[in-house]
């Protein structure tokens, strides 16, 4: 017991020593951070002084320019007055001399010898046309300033407050086209907000974020607007948690209350246990491998004669066979691999991209129990579109061993839309979202994505939501009386 007490005391002493070291380190940090804050304060006030000094110089220059303008106007007027006065004195002298002549004849002689009579000269003299009012006033009050408001504003300057937590507007948030648009607002106007920080993380739990077993937060910094769109996401979980915080130049505020948006999408991988031996499968990529079946027993015949061949459950949680020679593999000329997750309800979308040198491939769906030798579109339980680039390019839709030629260009990326409950399977140009073909039927069993390839490779993109453009096309297509599902109605 004493030994345990001693051991506990030793551990406690170590903890106290560590805590003391931490406190000393914190004190040192406080001193350093305080010095940094004072330096930043000096810089801010120096900047303010600089602005005031610049404003003072500019306004003083304006006053000096106004002074020079007024003085020049008054000096010009003064010069005119001096000239007029000089002329007036000369005329005055001439007029006085004329008045001194007593002899009328002599006066008349003087009048006749002058270029202009004395009375006319006096009448038109510049002194009579001169304005005796200053052109400008001596007042400079229009250039006075009143800094009373600015002084009150400066006196109200305080340290930057911590921004309030934003509020995410759930109604304005949008999940579509593999993007999440998040919108938020501040509880009150704050002009000192410099930017926002958005954090998000994927989760399979509805409601508030959980502390244990959650992925870490992904951060988007320096967002200037009150809205942001997260693009290029793979929706491999059911929900996304989101939160936002506002930042001014000094400090970040509290996070908003986190919100959870539903991002459910169809996610699957390629089931390597189902694939033909000549296919090399890696998660979402399948490639033709001509060396894969060298040790395989040659089986003649293109169709599966044994329709009761067993097939494993290929659901998301089903066990997978590990033996490479599994009897459930596709064989013969059915170079096929299936998805490992079944579509049992709802609307789903995935995309497929083929390599440019791919000679032949099919993209579609099938019921869970295809035969080993069954090829997509050649049974009444599978639907697909087929592209053949051998010798010449052909593009067709296949079901129940019937083919319909599609007289349209082959896109480099194909989108597959499956509405299980609505009995609809559509194929799209994934780039332009143009409709390629639609099958309409009533699905009676769960569907597995299926891919058949020869000479080349396919890349599958899953975790995609149904694009809004596809939804719009579906609405318009469903409103039409015609149908592109002629293969479904062939007996």
């Amino acid at each position: 017991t004493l030994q345990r007490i001693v051991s506990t005391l030793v551990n406690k002493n170590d903890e106290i020593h560590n805590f003391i070291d931490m406190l000393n380190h914190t004190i040192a940090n406080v001193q350093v951070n305080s010095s940094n804050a004072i330096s930043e304060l000096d810089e801010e006030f120096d900047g303010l002084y600089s602005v005031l000094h610049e404003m003072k110089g500019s306004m003083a220059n304006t006053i000096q320019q106004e002074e020079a303008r007024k003085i020049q106007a008054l000096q010009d007027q003064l010069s005119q007055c001096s000239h007029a006065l000089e002329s007036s004195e000369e005329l005055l002298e001439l007029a006085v001399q004329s008045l001194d002549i007593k002899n009328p004849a002599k006066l008349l002689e003087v009048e006749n010898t002058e270029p202009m009579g004395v009375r006319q000269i006096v009448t038109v003299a510049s002194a009579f046309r001169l304005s005796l009012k200053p052109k400008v006033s001596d007042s400079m009050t229009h250039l006075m300033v009143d800094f009373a408001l600015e002084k009150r504003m400066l006196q109200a300057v305080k340290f930057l407050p911590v921004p309030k937590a934003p509020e995410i507007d759930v109604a304005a948030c949008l999940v579509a086209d593999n993007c999440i648009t998040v919108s938020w607002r501040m509880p009150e106007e704050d002009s000192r907000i410099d930017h926002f920080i958005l954090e998000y993380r994927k989760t399979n739990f509805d409601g508030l974020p959980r502390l244990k077993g959650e992925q870490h937060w992904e951060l988007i910094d320096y967002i200037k607007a009150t809205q942001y769109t997260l693009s290029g996401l793979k929706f491999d979980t059911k929900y996304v948690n989101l939160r936002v915080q506002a930042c001014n130049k000094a400090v970040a505020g509290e996070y908003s209350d986190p919100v959870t948006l539903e991002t459910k999408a169809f996610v699957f991988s390629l089931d390597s246990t189902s694939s033909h031996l000549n296919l090399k499968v890696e998660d979402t990529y399948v490639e033709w491998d001509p060396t894969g079946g060298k040790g395989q027993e040659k089986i003649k015949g293109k169709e599966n004669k044994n329709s009761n061949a067993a097939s494993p459950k290929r659901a998301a949680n089903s066990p997978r066979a590990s033996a490479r020679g599994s009897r459930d593999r596709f064989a013969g000329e059915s170079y096929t691999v299936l998805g490992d997750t079944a579509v049992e309800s709802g609307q789903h979308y995935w995309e497929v991209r083929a390599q440019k040198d791919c000679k032949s491939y099919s993209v579609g769906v099938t019921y869970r129990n295809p035969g080993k030798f069954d090829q997509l579109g050649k049974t009444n339980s599978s639907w697909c579109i087929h592209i053949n680039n051998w010798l010449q390019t052909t593009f067709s839709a296949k079901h129940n061993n019937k083919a319909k030629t599609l007289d349209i260009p082959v896109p480099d990326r194909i989108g597959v839309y499956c509405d299980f409950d609505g009995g609809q399977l559509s194929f799209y140009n994934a780039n332009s979202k143009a409709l390629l073909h639609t099958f309409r039927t009533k699905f009676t069993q769960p569907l597995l994505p299926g891919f058949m390839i020869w000479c080349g490779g396919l890349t599958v993109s899953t975790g995609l939501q149904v694009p809004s453009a596809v939804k719009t096309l579906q609405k318009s297509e469903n409103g039409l009386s015609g149908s592109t599902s002629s293969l479904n109605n062939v007996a």
Side-chain angles (χ1 to χ4, degrees), residues 349 409-415 427-436:
Y349 179 83
V410 179
D412 63 347
R413 197 156 51 95
I414 297 173
F427 299 88
Y428 290 87
N429 182 324
N431 296 319
S432 66
K433 299 301 184 290
L435 179 64
L436 304 176

Side-chain angles (χ1 to χ4, degrees), residues 15-59:
E15 291 179 5
I16 294 175
H17 279 298
N18 292 335
F19 185 62
I20 290 174
D21 291 340
M22 185 192 72
L23 290 177
N24 288 327
H25 183 68
T26 303
I27 291 173
N29 285 342
V30 169
Q31 293 172 338
V32 171
N33 292 335
S34 177
S35 298
N36 292 337
I38 291 176
S39 298
E40 292 176 359
L41 183 66
D42 288 339
E43 290 179 5
E44 290 292 334
F45 271 91
D46 288 343
L48 183 59
Y49 297 150
S50 176
V51 171
L52 292 174
H53 183 72
E54 184 178 347
M55 289 179 60
K56 178 182 177 182
S58 176
M59 297 176 79

